Amino acid sequence: MSDTFPTEDLSDLYEQAPCGYISLSPDTRIVKANRTLANWLGLTASELLGRSFLDVLSFGGRIAYETHLAPLLRLQGFVDEIALDLIHADGSKIPVIANATEKRDEAGKHHFTRFTLLKAVDRLGYERGLRASLTKVEAAFAAEQDAAILREQFIAVLGHDLRNPLAAITAGVQMLQAREQLSERGDLILREMLASGKRASALIDNVLDFARNRLGNGFEITCDSREPLQPVLEQVVAEMRTIAPDRVFDIALSIEDPVYCDRVKIGQLVGNLLSNAVTHGDPEAPIRLTADTLGDRLSISVANGGAPIDAATQDQLFQPFFRGTVRSSQNGLGLGLFIVSEIAKAHEGSIGLVSNESETRFTFLMPLTRDA
């Protein structure tokens, strides 16, 4: 076995290397190029000599050379991994990755710029494919966002427009109840109609608040402490008794201090909690509402009997459109508790939940004043 290694032919190595070699004069004229590069370009090495390197670059490649590659060479004497497009004799583009160094003498005089060029058809094609895919995904995402905004604007407008005719129907039913002689059956029908109207009105309020929140307007609350809050809650309880006449409500309200809040929204919060208790609580157990002021805090809680809410359900209970899997809701959109949570946040308050075999209790806490 011989220990002699074969000798490499350096001239052949240069001419037929698996990459392109090219040397430029300081004024970018080609002074030497290997056969590999000439073959890529569809020319002979002799046809390249004397031509400007810019002549074999694409329009974008010439811009990259003048604005990026050449300044870096002057600044640091080398560049690594610059993407360029060469132009074949037939006009097609050849993507390459270029590394370059300047050859200078001891006095710093620039003699040559030497390039090594690696074909990057697959790599650049892959990168361009990724960029094109990213552009498509971004466009699709933007279109979906526009569609979502349009959809929520439509919901907001529809909900707003439904309010007036619904209010007229409810007012008409109340007038018939108050002023007309009704049979027992007629009175029952009007009470059912009134309960349905109030429930539809509450659902519209929730949808409108959700749409405003998604459209970036947040919950519009108007706070003051000029009027007492307790009458608002008493009215909410009276309406809930109309909606659910068969349920027992234990009410304990003792709000003696002024509360800086949006009374309509707090009424909506309590209405949603009571409606939730009516829908999901044990129909044989009373629904308990307590509201009072403790120190510098307002506390409102709504409790009902029935099976406890499991931990997994509790984690999602305040998410929009969540209706649970353990107990199916007979009514509603799954927005009520989400709206409760958002109203609590808007008042710098919190909503808590405790659920066990004895009861399920939601507790809302908020400061009596904005500075509390």
Side-chain angles (χ1 to χ4, degrees):
M1 183 175 178
S2 172
D3 293 335
T4 303
F5 292 100
T7 302
E8 178 60 277
D9 182 342
L10 296 182
S11 174
D12 182 69
L13 175 62
Y14 177 84
E15 293 294 342
Q16 301 195 63
C19 60
Y21 289 126
I22 191 169
S23 297
L24 308 181
S25 65
D27 61 356
T28 72
R29 285 181 297 113
I30 298 172
V31 298
K32 192 172 180 60
N34 71 347
R35 192 180 307 158
T36 300
L37 178 61
N39 290 339
W40 288 354
L41 298 174
L43 301 169
T44 64
S46 60
E47 289 176 313
L48 288 171
L49 296 181
R51 296 179 61 176
S52 171
F53 181 53
L54 300 181
D55 291 345
V56 298
L57 293 178
S58 67
F59 178 74
R62 290 196 291 272
I63 292 176
Y65 184 93
E66 295 288 358
T67 61
H68 188 59
L69 195 151
L72 280 176
L73 279 171
R74 286 194 294 272
L75 182 66
Q76 61 189 22
F78 69 92
V79 294
D80 290 330
E81 298 186 356
I82 301 296
L84 297 171
D85 283 334
L86 303 178
I87 295 296
H88 188 274
D90 64 8
S92 61
K93 292 181 179 179
I94 306 168
V96 297
I97 299 297
N99 294 332
T101 60
E102 287 188 343
K103 172 65 176 177
R104 294 178 181 272
D105 60 21
E106 294 181 353
K109 182 179 180 182
H110 181 200
H111 292 283
F112 301 107
T113 302
R114 294 167 173 167
F115 280 84
T116 300
L117 305 171
L118 299 171
K119 264 191 176 179
V121 176
D122 292 340
R123 171 179 165 175
L124 293 184
Y126 177 69
E127 291 177 352
R128 286 167 181 165
L130 284 179
R131 285 196 291 271
S133 297
L134 177 61
T135 300
K136 288 182 180 178
V137 169
E138 290 175 338
F141 180 69
E144 178 59 27
Q145 279 192 314
D146 290 343
I149 290 172
L150 183 62
R151 186 166 54 246
E152 284 156 8
Q153 286 175 334
F154 170 76
I155 292 171
V157 171
L158 178 62
H160 184 270
D161 288 349
L162 283 174
R163 270 180 161 176
N164 289 338
L166 184 59
I169 292 171
T170 303
V173 170
Q174 289 173 324
M175 289 178 63
L176 287 173
Q177 279 185 315
R179 301 179 184 179
E180 300 295 330
Q181 289 290 335
L182 298 171
S183 65
E184 184 176 344
R185 178 175 172 77
D187 182 63
L188 175 63
I189 291 173
L190 287 184
R191 279 193 283 112
E192 292 292 336
M193 289 176 64
L194 185 59
S196 297
K198 290 182 180 299
R199 174 158 182 77
S201 180
L203 288 173
I204 289 173
D205 288 343
N206 288 341
V207 169
L208 283 175
D209 282 336
F210 176 75
R212 288 194 197 101
N213 193 45
R214 291 292 299 265
L215 290 170
N217 297 328
F219 277 82
E220 297 176 0
I221 62 172
T222 303
C223 296
D224 63 63
S225 55
R226 293 192 296 268
E227 301 291 336
L229 174 62
Q230 186 159 315
V232 175
L233 303 190
E234 291 169 348
Q235 176 64 29
V236 171
V237 172
E239 292 177 357
M240 194 56 60
R241 281 177 165 147
T242 302
I243 293 172
D246 298 332
R247 302 300 297 270
V248 175
F249 293 87
D250 289 344
I251 309 300
L253 305 178
S254 180
I255 306 175
E256 299 176 353
D257 298 310
V259 182
Y260 185 81
C261 66
D262 185 323
R263 289 178 292 281
V264 174
K265 292 298 182 188
I266 297 299
Q268 185 181 0
L269 178 150
V270 172
N272 284 354
L273 290 178
L274 290 175
S275 178
N276 183 72
V278 168
T279 302
H280 297 280
D282 180 356
E284 302 301 324
I287 296 170
R288 295 177 293 279
L289 166 65
T290 60
D292 51 32
T293 53
L294 298 172
D296 60 357
R297 297 266 157 181
L298 167 69
S299 173
I300 299 176
S301 68
V302 174
N304 61 265
I309 303 172
D310 62 75
T313 301
Q314 290 188 33
D315 289 341
Q316 303 179 67
L317 211 52
F318 297 101
Q319 299 299 315
F321 301 115
F322 178 74
R323 301 175 66 186
T325 55
V326 176
R327 301 177 222 172
S328 59
S329 171
Q330 294 80 18
N331 297 295
L333 302 171
L335 286 175
L337 292 180
F338 169 73
I339 300 299
V340 165
S341 174
E342 295 301 309
I343 292 174
K345 292 176 188 173
H347 286 83
E348 300 182 359
S350 63
I351 184 77
L353 167 63
V354 175
S355 185
N356 51 44
E357 295 293 340
S358 301
E359 66 174 11
T360 292
R361 177 179 294 273
F362 291 87
T363 302
F364 167 61
L365 296 172
M366 65 163 284
L368 293 181
T369 67
R370 186 50 57 94
D371 297 330

